[in-house]
Structure formats: C-alpha cells, structure tokens
Amino acid sequence: MENVWIEPDGTTDPGYTEDQLRRARACAEADIRASRAQLAARFGLGDVCAEITDGATSDATAPLEQLAQHLGYATETLETYLRVTRLAGAALRERLLASAIHVPWKCVTTACVTDAQERARRVQILTERLDSAERAGWPVSLDASQFRLALGLAGGAEPCAEIVAQLDREEVREAVLAELTKSPAAVLAVLREPGVREVLKDQEVARYVRAQMRSVPSADEALLDELVGREDRDPHADWTIRYFGLVHKAREILLLGPEEFVDVNDPDVWESVESIRDSVTSWADRVLQQRPRTIRLLTGK
C-alpha cells in the first residue's frame, strides 16, 4: 500500500484527468520532435546558402533572392539562417542536435552574435544550461526567455528596448554604426522607416545622424538632405511641417460620412467616436490657452 501525504484541507487531484495527461504528453512529444527537426532543417538551409554565396562570382544576394522566391521564403530569412549557421560553427551545431534536450532556435540566434568575445560568453552559458538540463532530465526544452535573463539582457524579452538601453555604452554605439555604415543601402533603408523618419525630425538627432553618415562610401548628399534634412533648416518650419502632416493624417477619419455608420451595430465603434469627440475638444481647449493674444481665431465667415 502506498502512503500519500495529504495537506490539511488539500487535495491530490491535479486538476486534469489521466486521458488529458496522456493526450497532452503525446502532443508535447510531437511538438518537441517537430522543433528538433526544424532546428536541423534551418542549419541545413544555412549550409546550402553558404555553398551558394561562397560559389558566387559577383553579387551573392541575387542567387539567394532567387532561391528564396523558389522556396517561398523571405530573402532575409535565408540570410538569417546563413549568418547563424556560420556563427554557430560545427561543434555547437553537433552539440545541440545530439542532445536529448531541445534548444529553441531563439536561443541559438541569441547566442550567435557577431562579436566573437560576446558570442563565446553566450555559447558557454547556453551549453552550461544544456548540461544542467541533461543531468536533471528536465526541462525537455530550454526556455529562450530564461536564457536571455541568464545573459543579463533586459527583461529577457525586449530586444528593441535592450538595444536602445545599451546605446549609452560607447563601444556598443561604435559597433552599431560600424555595422550600418558598411553599406549605404542599409543606412538609407533604416532612414526611410516611418518611425525613424519621425525621430529624425528632432534637429539634434538629425545632426548626429548626418555626422555619422559622413563615413558612408559615396554618400548621396541630396538624398541625405531629403531623409535627414538640411543642416541649416529652420526648426520652426520643421515643426510646422510636422504639425500639418499630422493634421492631414487625423482628418482622414473625417472622410467617413454619417451615412457610412447607418448599419454599424458595434458598440466599440460608437464608444470610439465619442472618445474622439471628447479628446479633440479637450485637446483644442488646452492648446488654445497657449495662443498669443496678438492672434485672433476666426470664428466664422
């Protein structure tokens, strides 16, 4: 007879049935098998991409783009597989694929960074966690967020926020700028992003970016003026342009006439309309308090 300790007012009921446990185990095993196969497949794709780029006589991007189109992948995805596969190296790949513990792709991409010294540190921590899981027999799959926390990365789950947080370090800024300025196309692609364009409306930021862009080979001054703005631009004019740009966007909602709301039965839509009305009224009242006394608002025609 088996002795089972039951806490006072406690229960031994786990909250699920034996059948549910059996089905969950079967699904978990299938999930792990699929994930392990995915890891091997991505390394394999990286190897093929490496063969293609190494054998290219000129631009290595063109054949990768053709391959991506044929496979139905984004070119950037294949480039990621190529980069991570090369940085991982044969020894790490063999270690990960031979283990009974599954290592998610996110852990691999987090470990395989460009900087050799930092990569060695991350790979060591990854393999230590893998060793520990193998000895304990648990967990069957490493957790990417926990791995990031072990590396000391912000929150374990915010890559954009952590990069921004690290930009206070001079060596990180230099590394980011060095990577960007390898290719004028890469820099210009970043500068064209809507979010970046919004940030560049800050004149101090624009000056800094322009200074860093001086090192880009064959920098296109006219295009720089278009993206970053001229060095002698008027900040008041910039602000006015930005204001009317936002006004134009805001007025797009007014293109929806009352007749388009006749058949709308969604309460969220009507709550949104009321919220917009109240927000605009409140905002206008507060802004108009800053109006110079020398300017009179036209109230009618």
Side-chain angles (χ1 to χ4, degrees):
M1 178 178 177
E2 183 180 2
N3 293 323
V4 179
W5 171 259
I6 301 178
E7 293 287 344
D9 299 324
T11 177
T12 58
D13 182 6
Y16 48 78
T17 66
E18 285 295 325
D19 178 65
Q20 290 170 331
L21 175 60
R22 176 186 59 78
R23 287 186 287 124
R25 280 176 172 167
C27 291
E29 289 170 1
D31 182 35
I32 294 297
R33 284 196 302 271
S35 298
R36 290 176 62 83
Q38 184 185 70
L39 184 63
R42 289 179 176 181
F43 281 145
L45 278 170
D47 283 334
V48 174
C49 292
E51 293 173 10
I52 292 172
T53 55
D54 290 345
T57 55
S58 55
D59 181 16
T61 304
L64 274 189
E65 290 176 347
Q66 292 292 325
L67 178 64
Q69 185 175 7
H70 186 79
L71 297 177
Y73 278 59
T75 305
E76 292 78 7
T77 300
L78 293 185
E79 289 174 342
T80 298
Y81 293 168
L82 168 61
R83 176 179 56 81
V84 174
T85 298
R86 278 179 165 163
L87 291 173
L92 178 61
R93 289 170 52 186
E94 291 172 3
R95 175 75 180 86
L96 300 181
L97 294 176
S99 177
I101 305 298
H102 170 58
V103 179
W105 177 251
K106 181 62 178 177
C107 288
V108 183
T109 58
T110 301
C112 296
V113 294
T114 305
D115 183 83
Q117 185 175 357
E118 176 62 13
R119 182 169 69 252
R121 182 184 78 88
R122 296 187 180 197
V123 168
Q124 180 181 352
I125 293 175
L126 178 62
T127 53
E128 287 174 353
R129 296 180 72 83
L130 185 58
D131 291 340
S132 177
E134 287 174 337
R135 287 192 299 270
W138 184 90
V140 294
S141 178
L142 296 187
D143 183 273
S145 294
Q146 290 299 316
F147 174 53
R148 293 175 62 78
L149 286 172
L151 292 173
L153 299 180
E158 295 114 13
C160 293
E162 81 193 16
I163 290 173
V164 172
Q166 294 294 321
L167 287 176
D168 284 338
R169 295 167 51 192
E170 183 177 356
E171 66 273 18
V172 173
R173 287 199 305 272
E174 290 176 353
V176 171
L177 290 169
E179 189 67 25
L180 277 176
T181 54
K182 286 179 182 177
S183 165
V187 179
L188 296 176
V190 171
L191 293 179
R192 284 192 176 99
E193 284 296 314
V196 176
R197 294 294 299 277
E198 188 67 24
V199 172
L200 290 176
K201 290 176 181 177
D202 184 316
Q203 203 166 19
E204 291 302 317
V205 175
R207 285 199 192 101
Y208 178 77
V209 171
R210 177 178 285 280
Q212 303 306 322
M213 284 287 289
R214 295 300 184 196
S215 60
V216 176
S218 307
D220 186 329
E221 289 294 329
L223 191 53
L224 270 178
D225 286 344
E226 174 193 339
L227 295 171
V228 182
R230 298 183 62 85
E231 291 177 298
D232 57 352
R233 67 188 189 180
D234 180 357
H236 296 292
D238 282 349
W239 188 92
T240 302
I241 292 171
R242 179 189 179 198
Y243 168 76
F244 282 109
L246 292 173
V247 168
H248 177 73
K249 291 180 181 178
R251 283 182 172 171
E252 290 182 2
I253 192 68
L254 302 180
L255 296 176
L256 295 174
E259 67 280 358
E260 297 190 52
F261 290 81
V262 171
D263 297 322
V264 174
N265 295 316
D266 188 340
D268 290 340
V269 172
W270 295 110
E271 288 180 12
S272 173
V273 172
E274 290 182 343
S275 175
I276 291 172
R277 178 198 61 194
D278 296 342
S279 297
V280 170
T281 301
S282 173
W283 172 82
D285 288 343
R286 286 182 283 114
V287 170
L288 289 174
Q289 291 177 8
Q290 308 302 319
R291 182 182 56 186
R293 295 182 180 276
T294 55
I295 297 179
R296 181 174 61 87
L297 192 67
L298 297 178
T299 57
K301 293 183 178 179

